[in-house]
Structures are given as structure tokens and as C-alpha cells.
Amino acid sequence: QVQVVESGGGSVQPGGSLRLSCVVSGHSEVTGWFRQPPGQARTFVAAFRRSGYGGMTYYANSVKGRFTISRDNAKNTVYLQMNSLNPEDTAVYFCAAASRNLIASSLRHPDNYDYWGQGTQVTVSS
């Protein structure tokens, strides 16, 4: 059984930064971040996959170079550092966990994740 709790959302001006946190209890092979603007579908942002010594990270093209996903194993927490935010980043951000390992293509799709957090609002506006 896996539980997911995310936090850290808020309001920020364009160019600002936020750091989201996701506490995952239980075992998960992949932890991902997704976002859902109002009235739109949930889309992939970033993911952390348990692989090798330090794991593997994956990013949507829209956030490469701006967002960084990382993990604190001692706290069982995955972070999403978001820099250079713009209004297009405004959305409810969800953390999700997959109990099974996911290949690179699969971890970009929300239907492949088993457990979801409640979501945290991120608003970027002038």
C-alpha cells in the first residue's frame, strides 16, 4: 500500500520559483509529477525512476532546464524545484507513484500510475 501527499504550491510572479514536496509512504518504483490546468487534461511534468545507483530523471520538454526533480531517501520525499516560472505553468500539480517499474515511455502517461496525491495549486501571474 502506497500513500502520496504533496505540498508547496502557491502564487508567484513570472520568473519566480517554487519547490513542491511529495512524501511517499510504502514502496514505489517510480514517482512522477503531473499538472492539470483548469478545464484541461492532466499532463506529464517530471518523474524519478529507481534505477542504478542514483536513479533516473525524466522531464517534459516544456520544463527542461527550468524544473528539477530530486529525492531525499532519508525523508522518503521527492521534490520538484521549479524555476523561471511563467503563466503557462499555472495548474494543479499532482504527485503520483507507481508500484511497478515503468519504462521511459510509460512513465509519461498518468494512466500508468497507481497512487495519487490530492494536488497542490500553482499560480503564476503578473
Side-chain angles (χ1 to χ4, degrees):
Q1 186 67 254
V2 177
Q3 291 183 323
V4 181
V5 180
E6 69 267 74
S7 62
S11 298
V12 65
Q13 294 185 350
S17 299
L18 285 173
R19 188 182 73 163
L20 306 183
S21 300
C22 175
V23 179
V24 180
S25 61
H27 178 75
S28 64
E29 292 291 333
V30 183
T31 303
W33 286 97
F34 294 81
R35 64 187 182 185
Q36 186 170 15
Q40 301 185 34
R42 196 169 300 182
T43 58
F44 174 76
V45 176
F48 183 94
R49 178 177 179 269
R50 293 180 181 271
S51 179
Y53 294 104
M56 298 290 291
T57 59
Y58 305 84
Y59 298 94
N61 289 334
S62 59
V63 305
K64 286 182 179 178
R66 299 189 299 122
F67 291 10
T68 302
I69 188 170
S70 61
R71 180 176 180 86
D72 185 335
N73 290 323
K75 296 183 177 181
N76 206 27
T77 301
V78 174
Y79 302 96
L80 183 68
Q81 178 66 47
M82 305 185 294
N83 298 326
S84 301
L85 287 164
N86 57 63
E88 288 69 37
D89 297 315
T90 296
V92 177
Y93 283 69
F94 295 90
C95 185
S99 57
R100 300 179 181 179
N101 186 38
L102 301 175
I103 61 176
S105 59
S106 295
L107 55 79
R108 297 176 182 269
H109 299 281
D111 289 346
N112 293 321
Y113 290 79
D114 307 300
Y115 309 96
W116 291 84
Q118 78 285 354
T120 184
Q121 177 70 47
V122 172
T123 302
V124 185
S125 62
S126 303

